[in-house]
Amino acid sequence: MSTLAPLRLLREPWNTSEGNQSNAIVGASGGWCQGLDIPNELFLVLGLVSLVENLLVVAAILKNRNLHSPTYYFICCLAVSDMLVSISNLAEMLFMLLLEHGVLVMRASIVRHMDSVIDMLICSSVVSSLSFLGVIAVDRYITIFYALRYHSIMTLQRAVVTMASIWLVSTVSSTVLITYYHSNTVLLCLIGFFLFMLVLMLVLYIHMFTLARHHLHSITCQQKPPTAHRGGSLKGAVTLTILLGVYFICWGPFFFHLILIVTCPTNPFCTCFFSYFNLFLILIICNSVIDPLIYAFRSQELRRTLREVVTCSW
């Protein structure tokens, strides 16, 4: 049975023949070109863990009225995006197992259609996850630099419009990607979006940390204790930076995979890199596992509510 393959359409370049790919691998002749044999059970376990964790995060935010704010609504949407990764993982594994053991009999056309739907889910999670990370960064930036005007700038209505727009754009863009996956233009747009959001968040974080450092230096000179507001803002910036770093490590290899598909699809070393596609998928799923742990560890209010949800203290 083949390994889990969300985004399997991007597993190998479509503009190289099977013979050329085989020759490229032979030409690179190295043990590292054989890729990794990752057991299906690992995908299944990580998918289940991620699904449970993100469900708890969503339940905690919905339960606690103190968390009913635009910032936590954005975090909730990010958790839902991570859940899409888990759901696509579990759905693909389930279909593969049922088809392999003959429990489920489906026409080839239906199987291809289901694969496209699953691919669309994980593509949508790519765009929505990165978008919500960017929105959360902007929200934190407004909190720090426009604290007195925050509630007039980030109203609930604007937050709802922002969330709805992101989900709409993510769905449309994922549909376009799956439909025109063979187009370099579509891949370049996806790569460009990834790089744009990374640069945007890096600029915001650098500015936030610059202000925090200047503020802490002023407090030290005046020998005054730091205010709770600035301390909380700095903690929030650190949290978002950790999230950005985790996202970059987990999603970076996949986007580098896309770059190589566009730039050097027949190069032997690029072909060797393509053979590690399943490892990149594991990293993607690990991102959805790690994110909830960061929320629970960094947010005392959310951590307390998570304990209440787990112990059913409703």
Side-chain angles (χ1 to χ4, degrees):
M1 182 175 66
S2 61
T3 54
L4 172 70
L7 299 179
R8 77 200 187 295
L9 299 175
L10 303 177
R11 177 184 296 276
E12 296 175 348
W14 52 84
N15 51 356
T16 59
S17 65
E18 183 177 353
N20 289 338
Q21 291 174 6
S22 301
N23 292 335
I25 295 177
V26 173
S29 68
W32 70 281
C33 292
Q34 301 303 318
L36 292 177
D37 185 15
I38 300 177
N40 293 317
E41 291 76 12
L42 180 59
F43 286 99
L44 184 61
V45 170
L46 289 176
L48 287 173
V49 172
S50 172
L51 181 60
V52 172
E53 286 182 342
N54 286 286
L55 279 174
L56 288 175
V57 171
V58 173
I61 293 176
L62 295 178
K63 176 183 183 296
N64 191 339
R65 291 185 177 275
N66 294 330
L67 302 178
H68 291 183
S69 64
T71 297
Y72 282 101
Y73 285 150
F74 295 144
I75 292 177
C76 182
C77 288
L78 181 59
V80 173
S81 297
D82 289 337
M83 286 171 57
L84 288 179
V85 178
S86 305
I87 292 173
S88 64
N89 174 15
L90 297 175
E92 181 119 357
M93 286 298 302
L94 179 61
F95 275 109
M96 289 170 61
L97 291 174
L98 292 178
L99 290 173
E100 181 186 58
H101 292 85
V103 178
L104 183 64
V105 178
M106 303 175 65
R107 294 197 302 269
S109 58
I110 299 179
V111 173
R112 287 194 299 268
H113 179 71
M114 294 303 300
D115 284 342
S116 297
V117 172
I118 293 173
D119 289 337
M120 189 183 70
L121 281 175
I122 197 168
C123 287
S124 179
S125 73
V126 174
V127 179
S128 60
S129 295
L130 190 55
S131 297
F132 282 116
L133 279 175
V135 169
I136 293 171
V138 172
D139 179 78
R140 178 55 57 184
Y141 185 87
I142 296 174
T143 301
I144 293 177
F145 289 92
Y146 303 95
L148 298 179
R149 298 172 51 198
Y150 174 81
H151 294 290
S152 61
I153 296 176
M154 187 58 68
T155 62
L156 180 59
Q157 181 180 3
R158 289 176 179 173
V160 171
V161 171
T162 300
M163 291 184 289
S165 300
I166 290 177
W167 285 118
L168 177 61
V169 171
S170 299
T171 302
V172 173
S173 61
S174 62
T175 303
V176 172
L177 176 61
I178 295 303
T179 304
Y180 301 100
Y181 70 94
H182 56 281
S183 172
N184 282 346
T185 302
V186 173
L187 289 185
L188 288 173
C189 290
L190 183 60
I191 295 170
F193 175 71
F194 175 77
L195 295 176
F196 169 77
M197 294 304 295
L198 280 180
V199 171
L200 172 64
M201 287 184 280
L202 284 174
V203 170
L204 293 178
Y205 293 146
I206 290 174
H207 196 186
M208 283 189 283
F209 277 119
T210 300
L211 174 66
R213 183 179 179 181
H214 175 73
H215 181 72
L216 292 176
H217 177 73
S218 300
I219 292 174
T220 302
C221 294
Q222 298 174 8
Q223 295 183 348
K224 294 181 179 180
T227 62
H229 173 73
R230 291 299 182 184
S233 298
L234 178 59
K235 182 179 179 180
V238 172
T239 300
L240 293 175
T241 302
I242 294 174
L243 287 172
L244 175 61
V246 170
Y247 192 93
F248 180 79
I249 293 173
C250 293
W251 282 102
F254 169 74
F255 278 93
F256 187 59
H257 177 95
L258 298 187
I259 293 175
L260 294 184
I261 287 179
V262 175
T263 58
C264 59
T266 60
N267 185 279
F269 295 99
C270 294
T271 305
C272 287
F273 191 83
F274 298 150
S275 67
Y276 286 84
F277 188 77
N278 282 336
L279 176 60
F280 310 152
L281 295 180
I282 283 290
L283 291 175
I284 290 174
I285 299 173
C286 285
N287 177 76
S288 63
V289 173
I290 295 172
D291 281 351
L293 299 179
I294 298 176
Y295 307 148
F297 180 76
R298 302 293 300 180
S299 173
Q300 182 177 0
E301 183 74 15
L302 183 54
R303 185 169 62 247
R304 180 183 62 81
T305 308
L306 281 173
R307 285 198 299 267
E308 294 178 358
V309 171
V310 172
T311 57
C312 298
S313 301
W314 296 85

